[in-house]
PDB file of all heavy atoms in Angstrom:
ATOM      1  N   TYR A 285      -4.954  -9.166  -9.053  1.00  0.00           N
ATOM      2  CA  TYR A 285      -4.616 -10.319  -9.810  1.00  0.00           C
ATOM      3  C   TYR A 285      -3.564 -11.166  -9.026  1.00  0.00           C
ATOM      4  O   TYR A 285      -3.626 -12.425  -9.102  1.00  0.00           O
ATOM      5  CB  TYR A 285      -4.088  -9.950 -11.157  1.00  0.00           C
ATOM      6  CG  TYR A 285      -5.066  -9.442 -12.182  1.00  0.00           C
ATOM      7  CD1 TYR A 285      -5.184  -8.141 -12.566  1.00  0.00           C
ATOM      8  CD2 TYR A 285      -5.998 -10.379 -12.717  1.00  0.00           C
ATOM      9  CE1 TYR A 285      -6.139  -7.741 -13.441  1.00  0.00           C
ATOM     10  CE2 TYR A 285      -7.013  -9.984 -13.590  1.00  0.00           C
ATOM     11  CZ  TYR A 285      -7.013  -8.628 -13.996  1.00  0.00           C
ATOM     12  OH  TYR A 285      -8.010  -8.184 -14.901  1.00  0.00           O
ATOM     13  N   ALA A 329     -14.296 -17.453  -3.776  1.00  0.00           N
ATOM     14  CA  ALA A 329     -14.257 -17.522  -2.296  1.00  0.00           C
ATOM     15  C   ALA A 329     -15.477 -18.191  -1.724  1.00  0.00           C
ATOM     16  O   ALA A 329     -15.487 -18.495  -0.561  1.00  0.00           O
ATOM     17  CB  ALA A 329     -14.068 -16.108  -1.707  1.00  0.00           C
ATOM     18  N   GLY A 350     -23.396  -1.513 -25.036  1.00  0.00           N
ATOM     19  CA  GLY A 350     -23.429  -2.326 -26.238  1.00  0.00           C
ATOM     20  C   GLY A 350     -22.358  -3.460 -26.262  1.00  0.00           C
ATOM     21  O   GLY A 350     -22.205  -4.019 -27.376  1.00  0.00           O
ATOM     22  N   GLY A 373     -34.910 -20.154  -9.862  1.00  0.00           N
ATOM     23  CA  GLY A 373     -35.647 -19.369 -10.873  1.00  0.00           C
ATOM     24  C   GLY A 373     -34.720 -18.270 -11.442  1.00  0.00           C
ATOM     25  O   GLY A 373     -34.749 -18.049 -12.638  1.00  0.00           O
ATOM     26  N   SER A 378     -31.200 -16.166 -15.853  1.00  0.00           N
ATOM     27  CA  SER A 378     -29.844 -15.688 -16.275  1.00  0.00           C
ATOM     28  C   SER A 378     -29.355 -16.541 -17.416  1.00  0.00           C
ATOM     29  O   SER A 378     -28.685 -16.079 -18.350  1.00  0.00           O
ATOM     30  CB  SER A 378     -28.910 -15.659 -15.108  1.00  0.00           C
ATOM     31  OG  SER A 378     -29.192 -14.558 -14.254  1.00  0.00           O
ATOM     32  N   LEU A 385     -28.286 -13.271 -25.470  1.00  0.00           N
ATOM     33  CA  LEU A 385     -27.207 -12.291 -25.782  1.00  0.00           C
ATOM     34  C   LEU A 385     -26.131 -12.917 -26.618  1.00  0.00           C
ATOM     35  O   LEU A 385     -25.651 -12.247 -27.589  1.00  0.00           O
ATOM     36  CB  LEU A 385     -26.629 -11.810 -24.441  1.00  0.00           C
ATOM     37  CG  LEU A 385     -27.490 -10.881 -23.597  1.00  0.00           C
ATOM     38  CD1 LEU A 385     -26.873 -10.650 -22.227  1.00  0.00           C
ATOM     39  CD2 LEU A 385     -27.809  -9.543 -24.293  1.00  0.00           C
ATOM     40  N   ARG A 442     -20.407 -34.316 -18.282  1.00  0.00           N
ATOM     41  CA  ARG A 442     -20.838 -35.531 -19.036  1.00  0.00           C
ATOM     42  C   ARG A 442     -20.858 -36.718 -18.090  1.00  0.00           C
ATOM     43  O   ARG A 442     -21.770 -37.513 -18.069  1.00  0.00           O
ATOM     44  CB  ARG A 442     -19.887 -35.802 -20.223  1.00  0.00           C
ATOM     45  CG  ARG A 442     -20.432 -36.763 -21.245  1.00  0.00           C
ATOM     46  CD  ARG A 442     -19.443 -37.076 -22.340  1.00  0.00           C
ATOM     47  NE  ARG A 442     -18.921 -35.897 -22.957  1.00  0.00           N
ATOM     48  CZ  ARG A 442     -19.580 -35.230 -23.901  1.00  0.00           C
ATOM     49  NH1 ARG A 442     -20.780 -35.563 -24.250  1.00  0.00           N
ATOM     50  NH2 ARG A 442     -19.021 -34.110 -24.403  1.00  0.00           N
ATOM     51  N   GLN A 444     -21.115 -36.543 -14.829  1.00  0.00           N
ATOM     52  CA  GLN A 444     -22.177 -36.370 -13.860  1.00  0.00           C
ATOM     53  C   GLN A 444     -23.534 -36.760 -14.377  1.00  0.00           C
ATOM     54  O   GLN A 444     -24.344 -37.376 -13.680  1.00  0.00           O
ATOM     55  CB  GLN A 444     -22.169 -34.885 -13.413  1.00  0.00           C
ATOM     56  CG  GLN A 444     -21.123 -34.439 -12.488  1.00  0.00           C
ATOM     57  CD  GLN A 444     -21.115 -32.959 -12.190  1.00  0.00           C
ATOM     58  OE1 GLN A 444     -20.657 -32.127 -12.953  1.00  0.00           O
ATOM     59  NE2 GLN A 444     -21.632 -32.616 -10.984  1.00  0.00           N
ATOM     60  N   GLN A 453     -21.937 -47.101 -18.575  1.00  0.00           N
ATOM     61  CA  GLN A 453     -20.521 -46.827 -18.662  1.00  0.00           C
ATOM     62  C   GLN A 453     -20.094 -45.727 -17.658  1.00  0.00           C
ATOM     63  O   GLN A 453     -19.029 -45.166 -17.868  1.00  0.00           O
ATOM     64  CB  GLN A 453     -20.146 -46.427 -20.109  1.00  0.00           C
ATOM     65  CG  GLN A 453     -20.292 -47.528 -21.091  1.00  0.00           C
ATOM     66  CD  GLN A 453     -19.383 -48.744 -20.805  1.00  0.00           C
ATOM     67  OE1 GLN A 453     -18.196 -48.553 -20.607  1.00  0.00           O
ATOM     68  NE2 GLN A 453     -19.957 -49.897 -20.802  1.00  0.00           N
ATOM     69  N   SER A 460     -12.109 -41.975 -16.585  1.00  0.00           N
ATOM     70  CA  SER A 460     -11.464 -41.281 -17.659  1.00  0.00           C
ATOM     71  C   SER A 460     -11.404 -39.780 -17.407  1.00  0.00           C
ATOM     72  O   SER A 460     -10.404 -39.135 -17.671  1.00  0.00           O
ATOM     73  CB  SER A 460     -12.182 -41.554 -18.986  1.00  0.00           C
ATOM     74  OG  SER A 460     -11.716 -40.823 -20.052  1.00  0.00           O
ATOM     75  N   TYR A 478     -14.038 -37.712  -7.714  1.00  0.00           N
ATOM     76  CA  TYR A 478     -13.779 -38.534  -6.570  1.00  0.00           C
ATOM     77  C   TYR A 478     -15.016 -38.737  -5.686  1.00  0.00           C
ATOM     78  O   TYR A 478     -15.242 -39.864  -5.145  1.00  0.00           O
ATOM     79  CB  TYR A 478     -12.705 -37.837  -5.616  1.00  0.00           C
ATOM     80  CG  TYR A 478     -11.283 -38.047  -6.114  1.00  0.00           C
ATOM     81  CD1 TYR A 478     -10.453 -36.956  -6.346  1.00  0.00           C
ATOM     82  CD2 TYR A 478     -10.731 -39.356  -6.287  1.00  0.00           C
ATOM     83  CE1 TYR A 478      -9.139 -37.157  -6.794  1.00  0.00           C
ATOM     84  CE2 TYR A 478      -9.439 -39.517  -6.700  1.00  0.00           C
ATOM     85  CZ  TYR A 478      -8.634 -38.410  -6.941  1.00  0.00           C
ATOM     86  OH  TYR A 478      -7.322 -38.584  -7.356  1.00  0.00           O
ATOM     87  N   PHE A 526     -22.756 -41.362   6.034  1.00  0.00           N
ATOM     88  CA  PHE A 526     -23.966 -41.651   6.760  1.00  0.00           C
ATOM     89  C   PHE A 526     -24.598 -42.976   6.221  1.00  0.00           C
ATOM     90  O   PHE A 526     -25.059 -43.835   6.963  1.00  0.00           O
ATOM     91  CB  PHE A 526     -25.001 -40.553   6.658  1.00  0.00           C
ATOM     92  CG  PHE A 526     -26.286 -40.916   7.320  1.00  0.00           C
ATOM     93  CD1 PHE A 526     -26.439 -40.864   8.688  1.00  0.00           C
ATOM     94  CD2 PHE A 526     -27.335 -41.358   6.527  1.00  0.00           C
ATOM     95  CE1 PHE A 526     -27.661 -41.214   9.253  1.00  0.00           C
ATOM     96  CE2 PHE A 526     -28.623 -41.727   7.125  1.00  0.00           C
ATOM     97  CZ  PHE A 526     -28.741 -41.673   8.492  1.00  0.00           C
ATOM     98  N   GLY A 549     -24.514 -17.777   3.458  1.00  0.00           N
ATOM     99  CA  GLY A 549     -25.825 -17.775   2.988  1.00  0.00           C
ATOM    100  C   GLY A 549     -26.150 -18.820   1.905  1.00  0.00           C
ATOM    101  O   GLY A 549     -27.009 -18.554   1.030  1.00  0.00           O
ATOM    102  N   VAL A 564     -28.612 -38.321  11.584  1.00  0.00           N
ATOM    103  CA  VAL A 564     -27.635 -38.908  12.532  1.00  0.00           C
ATOM    104  C   VAL A 564     -28.236 -38.920  13.933  1.00  0.00           C
ATOM    105  O   VAL A 564     -28.122 -39.897  14.670  1.00  0.00           O
ATOM    106  CB  VAL A 564     -26.358 -38.076  12.487  1.00  0.00           C
ATOM    107  CG1 VAL A 564     -25.421 -38.488  13.698  1.00  0.00           C
ATOM    108  CG2 VAL A 564     -25.524 -38.340  11.223  1.00  0.00           C
ATOM    109  N   HIS A 567     -30.886 -41.586  14.148  1.00  0.00           N
ATOM    110  CA  HIS A 567     -30.332 -42.920  14.172  1.00  0.00           C
ATOM    111  C   HIS A 567     -29.723 -43.206  15.587  1.00  0.00           C
ATOM    112  O   HIS A 567     -30.006 -44.296  16.170  1.00  0.00           O
ATOM    113  CB  HIS A 567     -29.216 -43.052  13.103  1.00  0.00           C
ATOM    114  CG  HIS A 567     -28.484 -44.303  13.150  1.00  0.00           C
ATOM    115  ND1 HIS A 567     -28.855 -45.404  12.481  1.00  0.00           N
ATOM    116  CD2 HIS A 567     -27.339 -44.656  13.849  1.00  0.00           C
ATOM    117  CE1 HIS A 567     -28.061 -46.462  12.716  1.00  0.00           C
ATOM    118  NE2 HIS A 567     -27.087 -46.020  13.543  1.00  0.00           N
ATOM    119  N   LEU A 589     -37.478 -64.659  36.761  1.00  0.00           N
ATOM    120  CA  LEU A 589     -36.842 -65.984  36.911  1.00  0.00           C
ATOM    121  C   LEU A 589     -36.477 -66.204  38.387  1.00  0.00           C
ATOM    122  O   LEU A 589     -36.458 -67.296  38.859  1.00  0.00           O
ATOM    123  CB  LEU A 589     -35.665 -66.141  35.947  1.00  0.00           C
ATOM    124  CG  LEU A 589     -36.052 -66.279  34.491  1.00  0.00           C
ATOM    125  CD1 LEU A 589     -34.803 -66.235  33.637  1.00  0.00           C
ATOM    126  CD2 LEU A 589     -36.795 -67.654  34.264  1.00  0.00           C
ATOM    127  N   GLU A 595     -43.221 -68.736  33.782  1.00  0.00           N
ATOM    128  CA  GLU A 595     -44.374 -68.472  32.898  1.00  0.00           C
ATOM    129  C   GLU A 595     -44.790 -67.019  32.833  1.00  0.00           C
ATOM    130  O   GLU A 595     -45.491 -66.535  31.981  1.00  0.00           O
ATOM    131  CB  GLU A 595     -45.603 -69.320  33.345  1.00  0.00           C
ATOM    132  CG  GLU A 595     -46.230 -68.860  34.683  1.00  0.00           C
ATOM    133  CD  GLU A 595     -45.470 -69.425  35.909  1.00  0.00           C
ATOM    134  OE1 GLU A 595     -44.450 -70.165  35.738  1.00  0.00           O
ATOM    135  OE2 GLU A 595     -45.962 -69.225  37.050  1.00  0.00           O
TER     136      GLU A 595
END
Side-chain angles (χ1 to χ4, degrees):
Y285 284 112
S378 286
L385 291 170
R442 195 184 307 281
Q444 287 177 278
Q453 293 298 310
S460 175
Y478 279 124
F526 174 80
V564 168
H567 175 87
L589 286 171
E595 71 277 3

